[in-house]
mmCIF file of all heavy atoms in Angstrom:
data_model
loop_
_atom_site.group_PDB
_atom_site.id
_atom_site.type_symbol
_atom_site.label_atom_id
_atom_site.label_comp_id
_atom_site.label_asym_id
_atom_site.label_seq_id
_atom_site.Cartn_x
_atom_site.Cartn_y
_atom_site.Cartn_z
ATOM 1 N N THR B 288 183.040 57.574 112.029
ATOM 2 C CA THR B 288 183.873 57.950 113.147
ATOM 3 C C THR B 288 183.605 57.035 114.373
ATOM 4 O O THR B 288 184.436 57.061 115.292
ATOM 5 C CB THR B 288 183.565 59.336 113.689
ATOM 6 O OG1 THR B 288 182.209 59.412 114.125
ATOM 7 C CG2 THR B 288 183.695 60.409 112.511
ATOM 8 N N GLY B 289 182.523 56.178 114.356
ATOM 9 C CA GLY B 289 182.257 55.480 115.531
ATOM 10 C C GLY B 289 181.527 56.207 116.592
ATOM 11 O O GLY B 289 181.130 55.620 117.656
ATOM 12 N N GLU B 290 181.314 57.468 116.414
ATOM 13 C CA GLU B 290 180.661 58.345 117.358
ATOM 14 C C GLU B 290 179.198 58.256 117.116
ATOM 15 O O GLU B 290 178.565 58.569 116.077
ATOM 16 C CB GLU B 290 181.157 59.833 117.136
ATOM 17 C CG GLU B 290 180.891 60.731 118.258
ATOM 18 C CD GLU B 290 181.697 60.472 119.519
ATOM 19 O OE1 GLU B 290 182.969 60.682 119.434
ATOM 20 O OE2 GLU B 290 181.175 60.116 120.498
ATOM 21 N N SER B 291 178.414 57.806 118.284
ATOM 22 C CA SER B 291 176.967 57.659 118.025
ATOM 23 C C SER B 291 176.153 58.970 118.175
ATOM 24 O O SER B 291 175.112 58.947 117.702
ATOM 25 C CB SER B 291 176.489 56.635 119.129
ATOM 26 O OG SER B 291 176.752 57.115 120.410
ATOM 27 N N GLU B 292 176.698 59.980 118.750
ATOM 28 C CA GLU B 292 175.904 61.264 118.995
ATOM 29 C C GLU B 292 175.801 61.960 117.677
ATOM 30 O O GLU B 292 176.772 62.169 116.991
ATOM 31 C CB GLU B 292 176.708 62.168 119.947
ATOM 32 C CG GLU B 292 175.828 63.222 120.527
ATOM 33 C CD GLU B 292 174.720 62.715 121.309
ATOM 34 O OE1 GLU B 292 174.806 61.694 122.073
ATOM 35 O OE2 GLU B 292 173.599 63.384 121.368
ATOM 36 N N PRO B 293 174.559 62.197 117.195
ATOM 37 C CA PRO B 293 174.368 62.923 115.907
ATOM 38 C C PRO B 293 174.908 64.377 115.940
ATOM 39 O O PRO B 293 174.997 64.983 116.973
ATOM 40 C CB PRO B 293 172.838 62.878 115.723
ATOM 41 C CG PRO B 293 172.278 62.719 117.041
ATOM 42 C CD PRO B 293 173.248 61.921 117.829
ATOM 43 N N VAL B 294 175.318 64.826 114.777
ATOM 44 C CA VAL B 294 175.877 66.239 114.567
ATOM 45 C C VAL B 294 174.817 67.057 113.919
ATOM 46 O O VAL B 294 174.240 66.809 112.894
ATOM 47 C CB VAL B 294 177.195 66.129 113.759
ATOM 48 C CG1 VAL B 294 177.814 67.446 113.498
ATOM 49 C CG2 VAL B 294 178.174 65.251 114.469
ATOM 50 N N HIS B 295 174.674 68.295 114.447
ATOM 51 C CA HIS B 295 173.825 69.315 113.807
ATOM 52 C C HIS B 295 174.621 69.933 112.738
ATOM 53 O O HIS B 295 175.702 70.386 112.928
ATOM 54 C CB HIS B 295 173.471 70.461 114.830
ATOM 55 C CG HIS B 295 172.472 69.961 115.901
ATOM 56 N ND1 HIS B 295 171.137 70.054 115.590
ATOM 57 C CD2 HIS B 295 172.580 69.410 117.117
ATOM 58 C CE1 HIS B 295 170.470 69.518 116.642
ATOM 59 N NE2 HIS B 295 171.340 69.121 117.564
ATOM 60 N N VAL B 296 174.059 69.915 111.506
ATOM 61 C CA VAL B 296 174.804 70.572 110.336
ATOM 62 C C VAL B 296 173.872 71.674 109.867
ATOM 63 O O VAL B 296 172.660 71.547 109.691
ATOM 64 C CB VAL B 296 174.991 69.500 109.173
ATOM 65 C CG1 VAL B 296 175.561 70.228 107.936
ATOM 66 C CG2 VAL B 296 175.920 68.476 109.624
ATOM 67 N N ASN B 297 174.528 72.870 109.750
ATOM 68 C CA ASN B 297 173.782 74.142 109.344
ATOM 69 C C ASN B 297 174.822 75.074 108.680
ATOM 70 O O ASN B 297 175.909 74.646 108.409
ATOM 71 C CB ASN B 297 173.067 74.756 110.583
ATOM 72 C CG ASN B 297 173.968 74.787 111.699
ATOM 73 O OD1 ASN B 297 175.200 75.101 111.633
ATOM 74 N ND2 ASN B 297 173.412 74.584 112.911
ATOM 75 N N ALA B 298 174.374 76.322 108.425
ATOM 76 C CA ALA B 298 175.242 77.251 107.806
ATOM 77 C C ALA B 298 176.480 77.522 108.632
ATOM 78 O O ALA B 298 177.545 77.861 108.101
ATOM 79 C CB ALA B 298 174.521 78.637 107.589
ATOM 80 N N GLU B 299 176.356 77.443 109.960
ATOM 81 C CA GLU B 299 177.539 77.559 110.845
ATOM 82 C C GLU B 299 178.483 76.433 110.798
ATOM 83 O O GLU B 299 179.718 76.528 111.036
ATOM 84 C CB GLU B 299 177.153 77.925 112.331
ATOM 85 C CG GLU B 299 176.473 79.265 112.578
ATOM 86 C CD GLU B 299 175.135 79.419 111.994
ATOM 87 O OE1 GLU B 299 174.357 78.500 112.100
ATOM 88 O OE2 GLU B 299 174.877 80.450 111.295
ATOM 89 N N ASN B 300 178.000 75.186 110.696
ATOM 90 C CA ASN B 300 178.734 73.959 110.593
ATOM 91 C C ASN B 300 178.315 73.269 109.331
ATOM 92 O O ASN B 300 177.538 72.303 109.423
ATOM 93 C CB ASN B 300 178.580 73.132 111.851
ATOM 94 C CG ASN B 300 179.350 71.822 111.776
ATOM 95 O OD1 ASN B 300 180.444 71.724 111.181
ATOM 96 N ND2 ASN B 300 178.671 70.698 112.232
ATOM 97 N N PRO B 301 178.809 73.709 108.144
ATOM 98 C CA PRO B 301 178.252 73.181 106.927
ATOM 99 C C PRO B 301 178.905 71.901 106.297
ATOM 100 O O PRO B 301 178.612 71.554 105.288
ATOM 101 C CB PRO B 301 178.717 74.413 105.955
ATOM 102 C CG PRO B 301 179.927 74.912 106.504
ATOM 103 C CD PRO B 301 179.972 74.688 107.984
ATOM 104 N N PHE B 302 179.693 71.236 107.142
ATOM 105 C CA PHE B 302 180.510 70.140 106.452
ATOM 106 C C PHE B 302 179.749 68.772 106.569
ATOM 107 O O PHE B 302 179.294 68.342 107.619
ATOM 108 C CB PHE B 302 181.875 69.928 107.234
ATOM 109 C CG PHE B 302 182.648 71.251 107.294
ATOM 110 C CD1 PHE B 302 182.770 71.977 108.510
ATOM 111 C CD2 PHE B 302 183.199 71.760 106.068
ATOM 112 C CE1 PHE B 302 183.459 73.155 108.515
ATOM 113 C CE2 PHE B 302 183.913 72.962 106.142
ATOM 114 C CZ PHE B 302 184.037 73.614 107.380
ATOM 115 N N LEU B 303 179.595 68.211 105.322
ATOM 116 C CA LEU B 303 178.874 66.851 105.218
ATOM 117 C C LEU B 303 179.805 65.852 104.627
ATOM 118 O O LEU B 303 180.482 66.114 103.617
ATOM 119 C CB LEU B 303 177.644 67.023 104.329
ATOM 120 C CG LEU B 303 176.462 67.809 104.917
ATOM 121 C CD1 LEU B 303 175.693 68.460 103.715
ATOM 122 C CD2 LEU B 303 175.632 66.962 105.716
ATOM 123 N N LEU B 304 179.948 64.694 105.292
ATOM 124 C CA LEU B 304 180.876 63.726 104.996
ATOM 125 C C LEU B 304 180.264 62.481 104.305
ATOM 126 O O LEU B 304 179.205 61.971 104.748
ATOM 127 C CB LEU B 304 181.698 63.212 106.164
ATOM 128 C CG LEU B 304 182.539 64.280 106.778
ATOM 129 C CD1 LEU B 304 182.980 63.962 108.242
ATOM 130 C CD2 LEU B 304 183.704 64.717 106.014
ATOM 131 N N SER B 305 180.857 61.963 103.263
ATOM 132 C CA SER B 305 180.406 60.787 102.555
ATOM 133 C C SER B 305 180.251 59.590 103.447
ATOM 134 O O SER B 305 181.102 59.447 104.342
ATOM 135 C CB SER B 305 181.396 60.459 101.435
ATOM 136 O OG SER B 305 181.011 59.318 100.729
ATOM 137 N N GLY B 306 179.111 58.860 103.272
ATOM 138 C CA GLY B 306 178.936 57.618 104.031
ATOM 139 C C GLY B 306 178.133 57.842 105.310
ATOM 140 O O GLY B 306 177.745 56.915 105.990
ATOM 141 N N THR B 307 177.966 59.059 105.669
ATOM 142 C CA THR B 307 177.172 59.372 106.951
ATOM 143 C C THR B 307 175.766 59.389 106.585
ATOM 144 O O THR B 307 175.295 59.323 105.372
ATOM 145 C CB THR B 307 177.612 60.783 107.576
ATOM 146 O OG1 THR B 307 177.394 61.694 106.614
ATOM 147 C CG2 THR B 307 179.018 60.726 107.966
ATOM 148 N N LYS B 308 174.841 59.435 107.613
ATOM 149 C CA LYS B 308 173.378 59.239 107.326
ATOM 150 C C LYS B 308 172.595 60.469 107.843
ATOM 151 O O LYS B 308 173.005 60.970 108.892
ATOM 152 C CB LYS B 308 172.851 57.982 108.058
ATOM 153 C CG LYS B 308 173.620 56.710 107.868
ATOM 154 C CD LYS B 308 173.540 56.224 106.337
ATOM 155 C CE LYS B 308 174.085 54.825 106.238
ATOM 156 N NZ LYS B 308 175.483 54.736 106.679
ATOM 157 N N VAL B 309 171.540 60.827 107.157
ATOM 158 C CA VAL B 309 170.691 61.862 107.581
ATOM 159 C C VAL B 309 169.680 61.320 108.605
ATOM 160 O O VAL B 309 168.825 60.463 108.294
ATOM 161 C CB VAL B 309 169.912 62.479 106.400
ATOM 162 C CG1 VAL B 309 168.921 63.609 106.977
ATOM 163 C CG2 VAL B 309 170.815 62.973 105.324
ATOM 164 N N GLN B 310 169.883 61.635 109.872
ATOM 165 C CA GLN B 310 169.022 61.108 110.931
ATOM 166 C C GLN B 310 167.760 61.864 111.063
ATOM 167 O O GLN B 310 166.673 61.321 111.421
ATOM 168 C CB GLN B 310 169.759 61.161 112.302
ATOM 169 C CG GLN B 310 169.063 60.425 113.425
ATOM 170 C CD GLN B 310 170.014 60.216 114.563
ATOM 171 O OE1 GLN B 310 171.112 59.744 114.401
ATOM 172 N NE2 GLN B 310 169.584 60.556 115.815
ATOM 173 N N ASP B 311 167.751 63.152 110.777
ATOM 174 C CA ASP B 311 166.549 64.071 110.850
ATOM 175 C C ASP B 311 166.707 65.185 110.005
ATOM 176 O O ASP B 311 167.849 65.639 109.604
ATOM 177 C CB ASP B 311 166.211 64.508 112.275
ATOM 178 C CG ASP B 311 164.801 64.789 112.524
ATOM 179 O OD1 ASP B 311 163.941 64.808 111.492
ATOM 180 O OD2 ASP B 311 164.488 65.110 113.604
ATOM 181 N N GLY B 312 165.615 65.751 109.423
ATOM 182 C CA GLY B 312 165.607 66.927 108.683
ATOM 183 C C GLY B 312 165.941 66.731 107.143
ATOM 184 O O GLY B 312 165.880 65.587 106.660
ATOM 185 N N SER B 313 166.121 67.863 106.489
ATOM 186 C CA SER B 313 166.462 67.757 105.038
ATOM 187 C C SER B 313 167.357 68.944 104.646
ATOM 188 O O SER B 313 167.432 69.904 105.345
ATOM 189 C CB SER B 313 165.148 67.828 104.287
ATOM 190 O OG SER B 313 164.462 69.127 104.544
ATOM 191 N N CYS B 314 168.017 68.797 103.508
ATOM 192 C CA CYS B 314 168.897 69.852 103.092
ATOM 193 C C CYS B 314 169.246 69.753 101.601
ATOM 194 O O CYS B 314 168.992 68.693 100.894
ATOM 195 C CB CYS B 314 170.161 69.849 103.877
ATOM 196 S SG CYS B 314 171.372 68.659 103.309
ATOM 197 N N LYS B 315 169.876 70.877 101.059
ATOM 198 C CA LYS B 315 170.398 70.943 99.767
ATOM 199 C C LYS B 315 171.855 70.945 99.970
ATOM 200 O O LYS B 315 172.374 71.763 100.777
ATOM 201 C CB LYS B 315 169.949 72.101 98.963
ATOM 202 C CG LYS B 315 170.145 71.989 97.507
ATOM 203 C CD LYS B 315 169.208 72.877 96.691
ATOM 204 C CE LYS B 315 169.769 74.236 96.528
ATOM 205 N NZ LYS B 315 169.042 75.024 95.497
ATOM 206 N N MET B 316 172.748 70.085 99.367
ATOM 207 C CA MET B 316 174.137 69.982 99.587
ATOM 208 C C MET B 316 174.872 70.196 98.248
ATOM 209 O O MET B 316 174.538 69.759 97.177
ATOM 210 C CB MET B 316 174.454 68.579 100.105
ATOM 211 C CG MET B 316 175.890 68.305 100.183
ATOM 212 S SD MET B 316 176.098 66.500 100.645
ATOM 213 C CE MET B 316 176.936 65.926 99.180
ATOM 214 N N LEU B 317 176.016 70.875 98.364
ATOM 215 C CA LEU B 317 176.926 71.127 97.213
ATOM 216 C C LEU B 317 178.041 70.039 97.381
ATOM 217 O O LEU B 317 178.766 69.962 98.343
ATOM 218 C CB LEU B 317 177.589 72.494 97.302
ATOM 219 C CG LEU B 317 178.734 72.796 96.320
ATOM 220 C CD1 LEU B 317 178.233 72.859 94.903
ATOM 221 C CD2 LEU B 317 179.447 74.079 96.762
ATOM 222 N N VAL B 318 178.172 69.206 96.354
ATOM 223 C CA VAL B 318 179.170 68.187 96.292
ATOM 224 C C VAL B 318 180.575 68.788 96.018
ATOM 225 O O VAL B 318 180.714 69.581 95.131
ATOM 226 C CB VAL B 318 178.852 67.132 95.205
ATOM 227 C CG1 VAL B 318 180.049 66.122 95.077
ATOM 228 C CG2 VAL B 318 177.525 66.417 95.479
ATOM 229 N N THR B 319 181.521 68.465 96.913
ATOM 230 C CA THR B 319 182.911 69.036 96.704
ATOM 231 C C THR B 319 183.942 67.971 96.470
ATOM 232 O O THR B 319 184.833 68.159 95.660
ATOM 233 C CB THR B 319 183.315 69.685 97.997
ATOM 234 O OG1 THR B 319 183.259 68.829 99.013
ATOM 235 C CG2 THR B 319 182.415 70.952 98.279
ATOM 236 N N THR B 320 183.752 66.740 97.038
ATOM 237 C CA THR B 320 184.895 65.745 96.973
ATOM 238 C C THR B 320 184.208 64.423 96.662
ATOM 239 O O THR B 320 183.212 64.030 97.275
ATOM 240 C CB THR B 320 185.627 65.625 98.185
ATOM 241 O OG1 THR B 320 186.018 66.944 98.633
ATOM 242 C CG2 THR B 320 187.004 64.943 97.979
ATOM 243 N N VAL B 321 184.710 63.601 95.765
ATOM 244 C CA VAL B 321 184.075 62.326 95.399
ATOM 245 C C VAL B 321 185.051 61.184 95.467
ATOM 246 O O VAL B 321 186.262 61.393 95.464
ATOM 247 C CB VAL B 321 183.435 62.390 93.999
ATOM 248 C CG1 VAL B 321 182.232 63.279 94.015
ATOM 249 C CG2 VAL B 321 184.432 62.827 92.981
#
Side-chain angles (χ1 to χ4, degrees):
T288 66
E290 196 71 66
S291 57
E292 197 63 36
V294 176
H295 287 273
V296 175
N297 46 39
E299 285 73 45
N300 176 34
F302 306 109
L303 288 154
L304 297 166
S305 176
T307 57
K308 311 288 186 309
V309 180
Q310 189 165 311
D311 204 357
S313 60
C314 80
K315 196 157 89 167
M316 170 187 116
L317 170 68
V318 174
T319 57
T320 320
V321 292

